[in-house]
């Protein structure tokens, strides 16, 4: 008898279980040579030649250019085709990070963008990375977004787009999971091990080891009532 085609399957994770990747021995030297030879403006122009291809050379050059142009970049970076950046000199990237196709990280010249170890960023994600920290082992769903600033909209007789920007830090704590097409608004902290549901609009902090979903996002449940880490986080608030 064949299996029910509508029945869910459970398979092993790939990115989250991978061993710490090693770069080719020559990659660090290539990144340093690119840095010395091209400078920041030249590297951004060079990146355009390799931004969208799927071949070995394109993938290698994307990695090497990210390593050359960022403030810090660990081993094992994977950058899929079409991924882009603004002000990458403000980025600090850990080991084993995956950046999906057409994802875009928009830094600010005086900002901070920290991405921890073993972070997986899905295709078409967007980060307004003016004051952003994503800690280790975060999963970021396709199309999910961070907004790091908003216009003050004051005074009211001035077009909103001309009013000052208020930048607020966004923090995504370790082991959290952000669902497809979710939006994280300025000033929000998503706690350790929390889950944000697909399509959620997160306007306030999410508790560690909780599940939040909806528009605006609200607490749904604890991940596990019997999870000792969840109980510890709850006790810490009492």
């Amino acid at each position: 008898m064949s299996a029910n085609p509508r029945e869910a399957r459970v398979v092993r994770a790939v990115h989250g279980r991978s061993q710490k990747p090693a770069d080719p021995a020559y990659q660090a030297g290539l990144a340093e040579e690119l840095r010395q030879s091209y400078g920041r403006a030249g590297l951004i122009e060079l990146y355009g030649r390799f931004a969208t291809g799927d071949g070995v050379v394109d993938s290698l050059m994307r990695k090497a250019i990210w390593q050359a142009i960022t403030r810090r970049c660990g081993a094992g970076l994977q950058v899929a085709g079409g991924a882009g950046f603004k002000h990458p000199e403000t980025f600090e990237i850990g080991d084993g990070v995956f950046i999906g196709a057409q994802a875009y990280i928009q830094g600010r010249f005086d900002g901070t963008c920290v991405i921890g170890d073993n972070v997986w960023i899905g295709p078409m994600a967007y980060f307004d990375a003016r004051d952003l920290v994503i800690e280790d082992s975060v999963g970021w769903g396709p199309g999910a977004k961070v907004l790091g600033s908003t216009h003050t909209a004051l005074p009211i007789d001035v077009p909103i787009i001309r009013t000052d920007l208020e930048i607020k830090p966004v923090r995504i704590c370790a082991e959290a999971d952000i669902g497809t097409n979710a939006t994280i608004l300025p000033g929000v902290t998503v706690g350790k091990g929390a889950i944000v549901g697909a399509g959620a609009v997160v306007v306030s902090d999410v508790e560690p080891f909780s599940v939040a979903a909806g528009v605006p996002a609200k607490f749904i449940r604890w991940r596990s009532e019997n999870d000792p880490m969840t109980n510890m986080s709850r006790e810490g608030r009492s």
Side-chain angles (χ1 to χ4, degrees):
M1 181 179 295
S2 61
N4 183 348
R6 297 178 62 86
E7 187 174 312
R9 295 190 302 142
V10 177
V11 299
R12 289 175 66 86
V14 177
H15 180 82
R17 291 178 176 269
S18 299
Q19 298 295 318
K20 181 179 177 180
D23 292 328
Y26 56 80
Q27 187 170 312
L30 173 60
E32 181 59 28
E33 180 63 28
L34 291 172
R35 183 184 300 112
Q36 296 294 332
S37 298
Y38 284 87
R40 189 176 74 181
L43 285 170
I44 291 172
E45 181 180 359
L46 181 66
Y47 187 76
R49 303 185 196 178
F50 304 98
T52 59
D54 293 324
V56 173
V57 173
D58 297 286
S59 297
L60 172 63
M61 290 299 293
R62 283 196 295 271
K63 290 192 295 183
I65 292 171
W66 278 69
Q67 287 184 316
I69 203 170
T70 53
R71 182 178 295 166
R72 181 178 64 83
C73 187
L77 175 68
Q78 299 178 68
V79 183
F85 52 69
K86 186 174 183 179
H87 291 296
E89 72 278 5
T90 65
F91 300 174
E92 299 179 32
I93 301 175
D95 294 331
V97 171
F98 173 85
I99 300 174
Q102 299 182 58
Y104 193 82
I105 305 176
Q106 180 171 318
R108 179 180 160 88
F109 69 94
D110 60 354
T112 300
C113 174
V114 178
I115 300 175
D117 296 342
N118 201 39
V119 170
W120 187 92
I121 295 171
M124 302 185 74
Y126 172 76
F127 300 89
D128 180 21
R130 300 166 190 265
D131 188 347
L132 174 65
V133 175
I134 300 176
E135 296 183 356
D136 296 348
S137 299
V138 166
W140 195 272
K145 301 172 180 66
V146 163
L147 300 181
S149 65
T150 184
H151 288 277
T152 63
L154 295 173
I156 59 174
D157 60 345
V158 173
I160 294 171
I161 198 170
R162 292 176 56 190
T163 63
D164 292 341
L165 284 172
E166 183 177 14
I167 297 171
K168 296 182 179 179
V170 175
R171 301 292 181 262
I172 312 298
C173 296
E175 303 170 21
D177 191 80
I178 310 301
T180 298
N181 288 328
T183 301
I184 312 296
L185 293 188
V188 165
T189 293
V190 176
K192 181 178 180 179
I195 296 174
V196 173
V201 177
V202 185
V203 301
S204 59
D205 293 352
V206 178
E207 294 279 10
F209 299 98
S210 70
V211 179
V215 181
K218 296 181 179 180
F219 172 84
I220 303 297
R221 61 178 174 84
W222 298 109
R223 283 182 56 189
S224 171
E225 293 293 340
N226 297 319
D227 185 332
M229 291 302 294
T230 296
N231 292 335
M232 287 170 59
S233 70
R234 296 171 70 180
E235 290 168 3
R237 295 191 307 276
S238 61

